[in-house]
Amino acid sequence: MSFETTLHELGDGLFAYIQGDGGWGFSNAGLVTAPGTSMLIDTTFDRRCAERMLAELAPITSERPIESAANTHGNGDHCFGNASLPDRIPVYATKAADDELRVVTPQVLTLLEHIDDSAEWRSYWARTFGRFDFAGTELRLPTDTFAGRLDVKVGDREVAIIEVGPAHTAGDAILVVPDAETVFTGDILFSNGTPIVWQGPIQNWLDACEQIESLHPRTLVPGHGPLRGTDGLADTKRYLNYIRDQARARHAQGMSAAEAADDIDISDFRDWGDPERIVVNVETAYRELEPGRPSPPPPDLFLGMARWAARH
């Protein structure tokens, strides 16, 4: 993981804050500005990351202060920095994202470190979530929730927050800035990283990609990783279709989800980060094939990914 962060001026008063190569926890953020005001899109994973981001944005926000914010979904790496914003600032999110955020809090993640004592888990934790300070991070929930679509103003600019989940999570949303032909995709797009289908169904994620493509955006800001064009969405669809098809074939052969995750050849995606997410993606595909199949608890999924990474 590269820890270098970069602030990109996208033009039309828009900015993208890109954290390194976008590995576990290192999410991107965005800023939509208008004369005298701005909206922050996503707030990073812990207080230290959020305060570093706000300091980087300060030359811009000193003249165009942040007066609203939005969370693209309920995963903490896009929401846990909310508490670094002044209380007066409204934070928009889908109702489903708010529900998820109430369950997986910073305090819950502090417990995740201790789910297993094995060397493979300790190593995996150290290189993923072990780099963040959850104990020093306070939960601040969204203030304004919605379902479907919410149109908001940033100064005189229109911004549409459109729910596209459940897909990556239960409450995914994209933010569209029509006058700049720009979409902040949240985690519908992992640029140069492996998507992870926590919720599904996979088809909803594919549909979300096509919905973004139908907007004919000039600029996309992914949830993780470097800036990409719509070719990034094509790559995402290719991966999701491939994993779904491969999982179906192995399910028909009687393989377990864990066996299938080991057996599927992902060499075509060898340059993408965090390939162990295939463990979760195959499990989600199996749930779709077996209505009523329970989802393993998150600690089991994380252990499964750690063990897959150790084997591969």
Side-chain angles (χ1 to χ4, degrees):
M1 165 68 198
S2 166
F3 288 91
E4 181 182 359
T5 61
T6 53
L7 181 63
H8 295 264
E9 185 169 1
L10 305 175
D12 298 307
L14 271 58
F15 299 84
Y17 181 78
I18 308 296
Q19 291 199 94
D21 63 9
W24 281 106
F26 287 96
S27 59
N28 298 333
L31 192 72
V32 179
T33 74
T37 189
S38 64
M39 168 187 272
L40 180 65
I41 301 168
D42 286 336
T43 60
T44 71
F45 209 2
D46 66 9
R47 181 175 292 276
R48 292 181 301 190
C49 288
E51 290 178 352
R52 184 166 58 239
M53 174 187 65
L54 293 172
E56 186 76 17
L57 295 175
I60 304 160
T61 58
S62 61
E63 296 183 357
R64 289 164 278 181
I66 297 169
E67 295 184 326
S68 62
N71 298 142
T72 57
H73 57 288
N75 279 359
D77 56 336
H78 296 258
C79 304
F80 284 174
N82 288 354
S84 293
L85 299 174
D87 290 343
R88 60 179 173 76
I89 292 177
V91 180
Y92 305 109
T94 65
K95 176 64 168 60
D98 178 77
D99 290 342
E100 285 192 318
L101 193 54
R102 293 171 185 271
V103 175
V104 185
T105 65
Q107 290 69 37
V108 168
L109 288 184
T110 61
L111 302 176
L112 188 64
E113 179 180 2
H114 306 291
I115 60 172
D116 195 74
D117 235 359
S118 65
E120 60 191 4
W121 173 249
R122 292 197 302 272
S123 173
Y124 190 71
W125 173 265
R127 77 170 180 83
T128 55
F129 298 122
R131 295 175 291 185
F132 301 96
D133 177 19
F134 302 120
T137 297
E138 178 185 352
L139 177 66
R140 182 191 175 193
L141 294 168
T143 60
D144 295 69
T145 62
F146 69 97
R149 174 175 174 143
L150 180 67
D151 293 299
V152 298
K153 287 271 199 173
V154 180
D156 59 357
R157 307 185 75 165
E158 300 281 351
V159 176
I161 312 175
I162 302 171
E163 186 170 22
V164 295
H168 165 60
T169 65
D172 303 298
I174 60 174
L175 280 89
V176 183
V177 188
D179 67 12
E181 299 177 287
T182 295
V183 178
F184 294 85
T185 69
D187 281 0
I188 296 302
L189 176 55
F190 284 81
S191 176
N192 296 357
T194 304
I196 184 166
V197 194
W198 288 116
Q199 182 69 31
I202 291 171
Q203 187 61 49
N204 280 11
W205 196 328
L206 295 165
D207 292 345
C209 290
E210 292 184 1
Q211 183 174 353
I212 295 169
E213 290 171 331
S214 73
L215 298 170
H216 304 291
R218 188 177 73 238
T219 305
L220 295 179
V221 179
H224 291 258
L227 296 172
R228 291 285 300 273
T230 53
D231 62 317
L233 294 172
D235 283 347
T236 297
K237 290 192 294 183
R238 182 167 61 91
Y239 175 86
L240 292 173
N241 275 312
Y242 176 76
I243 295 300
R244 181 171 63 177
D245 291 347
Q246 295 295 314
R248 282 174 174 168
R250 285 158 179 78
H251 183 272
Q253 295 169 17
M255 285 190 186
S256 71
E259 289 168 338
D262 273 340
D263 191 59
I264 294 172
D265 178 7
I266 54 172
S267 57
D268 281 353
F269 309 95
R270 66 174 62 87
D271 296 331
W272 291 11
D274 307 313
E276 70 275 9
R277 291 171 178 169
I278 191 174
V279 170
V280 176
N281 298 337
V282 170
E283 181 60 47
T284 299
Y286 271 45
R287 288 206 317 273
E288 293 179 22
L289 293 166
E290 300 176 21
R293 176 187 175 103
S295 176
D300 289 353
L301 292 172
F302 276 109
L303 279 174
M305 287 189 283
R307 290 165 182 162
W308 188 98
R311 289 193 300 272
H312 296 270

